[in-house]
Amino acid sequence: MPRRPSSGTITDPYGTRVNPITGFTETHHGEDIGSDAGLILVAPEDATVIGYGVQPGWEVHGRVCILQGASGWVHWLSHTDRLALDRTVGAVLAEGDAVAYMGLTGQTTGYHVHWETRWEGARLDPEGWLASFVGADARPLTPIKKEKTLMHAIRQVGQPDSGVIIRDTAAPYSLTQQVFETTAGGLGLEVIEGADWQYQTEIREQWSAHI
């Protein structure tokens, strides 16, 4: 039966919150689970490890374990210390198999996992994913609302694999387009249209369902 990657306490659910580090109000696009049940993280479903490490443009997440689930969803387990046992990218896991250890990598106030469930690039409520399985232990959901978010990024000129700086127009602290472009030019960077967040190939205007 699909599960959370840890049986610890949910310390910060998906939805609107005040970021404990920046102090800004934002949409928290995942679910934080504390370390009170231990540091071991498990596969939420049958899955394959398709990536591990710091993701360009997502450095605040620290070292991320990325799982391609059998359901078609992609799971991000962020702030990890390291992979568990002898796990490597390409490892095939059964639901409940140990995959990584919680850590303090990236932007974090303490040991926890930031768990995201992604469908075609959209980051949706993990509890919504969990609730789609009959009998799964999901918390009650609140009504869906939608917001339109235009994502941009900048990268080093002539270096397509360089890290990016993200601008999210839905964020209250987002730079204006003019300031964003000026900042990019001053840093010797270029504005790009591109990137699927996971593979940094395309950034596009998209709808995000906030549950």
Side-chain angles (χ1 to χ4, degrees):
M1 178 63 66
R3 63 175 70 187
R4 300 181 186 93
S6 169
S7 58
T9 301
I10 299 173
T11 57
D12 200 350
Y14 182 103
T16 302
R17 70 163 185 180
V18 174
N19 186 299
I21 294 177
T22 67
F24 291 117
T25 299
E26 63 180 13
T27 298
H28 186 222
H29 290 282
E31 179 173 281
D32 290 350
I33 304 175
S35 61
D36 51 312
L39 299 180
I40 288 286
L41 299 173
V42 302
E45 60 173 319
D46 294 350
T48 301
V49 181
I50 62 171
Y52 185 73
V54 177
Q55 305 302 304
W58 297 90
E59 289 82 2
V60 295
H61 285 245
R63 288 192 283 272
V64 183
C65 178
I66 305 176
L67 304 174
Q68 175 62 65
S71 65
W73 291 68
V74 173
H75 303 264
W76 276 39
L77 308 181
S78 301
H79 308 305
T80 67
D81 179 69
R82 63 191 187 280
L83 291 175
L85 306 174
D86 58 351
R87 308 298 187 208
T88 59
V89 174
V92 177
L93 309 170
E95 176 266 314
D97 283 351
V99 64
Y101 293 95
M102 286 186 190
L104 295 171
T105 61
Q107 190 179 83
T108 176
T109 58
Y111 281 97
H112 75 283
V113 62
H114 171 81
W115 172 36
E116 292 186 1
T117 48
R118 300 185 175 206
W119 180 261
E120 297 184 350
R123 297 177 289 167
L124 304 178
D125 191 340
E127 295 297 315
W129 170 80
L130 196 58
S132 68
F133 298 91
V134 176
D137 178 26
R139 64 176 173 78
L141 301 178
T142 54
I144 295 175
K145 62 179 180 179
K146 292 184 176 181
E147 76 178 22
K148 203 169 189 178
T149 301
L150 182 60
M151 310 300 289
H152 297 287
I154 53 180
R155 68 182 177 197
Q156 294 181 9
V157 176
Q159 297 188 38
D161 296 326
S162 64
V164 297
I165 300 175
I166 305 303
R167 172 177 177 262
D168 180 345
T169 59
Y173 50 88
S174 175
L175 300 177
T176 65
Q177 182 69 20
Q178 181 178 0
V179 171
F180 186 73
E181 292 178 353
T182 301
T183 300
L187 294 173
L189 304 175
E190 63 179 342
V191 177
I192 59 173
E193 291 290 331
D196 169 301
W197 289 121
Q198 186 175 338
Y199 300 108
Q200 289 299 314
T201 58
E202 179 191 19
I203 294 176
R204 61 188 180 277
E205 192 172 24
Q206 64 181 343
W207 286 90
S208 295
H210 293 169
I211 301 176

